[in-house]
Amino acid sequence: MEFTTEPFDLDEAPAHAVVAREVIQSAQLDAVDVGPFGNTAEGGADQVLTAVDSLLRRALASGATRVSLQVNVIGEEAR
């Protein structure tokens, strides 16, 4: 999965971005890469879907006006 939250603030990470990162970093995922302009995470379908649900709910509740999200299915789970 890959995601970003908006609105952007180049001076300081907004609350919604901090919350989104906390959700992903604390989720039971296999790999997480957090960056200033995008974040990625990998894991099993159930773990990713659980993290996405929490990410969307908490980021929007913390002031995000947009969450851009891309989910790709790869490997064994794509069959």
Side-chain angles (χ1 to χ4, degrees):
M1 119 172 87
E2 183 176 347
F3 72 92
T4 57
T5 61
E6 297 179 39
F8 295 114
D9 183 342
L10 297 178
D11 296 326
E12 184 177 334
H16 60 81
V18 172
V19 166
R21 289 177 187 154
E22 289 172 355
V23 167
I24 294 305
Q25 289 175 326
S26 66
Q28 299 296 316
L29 298 168
D30 297 335
V32 174
D33 184 22
V34 174
F37 299 107
N39 308 283
T40 61
E42 297 177 7
D46 287 338
Q47 290 78 17
V48 169
L49 292 172
T50 298
V52 166
D53 178 65
S54 183
L55 165 72
L56 292 173
R57 291 176 190 278
R58 294 192 54 206
L60 293 171
S62 296
T65 58
R66 176 185 298 206
V67 178
S68 300
L69 173 69
Q70 180 175 319
V71 177
N72 295 314
V73 178
I74 56 176
E76 293 290 321
E77 295 181 25
R79 297 176 199 200

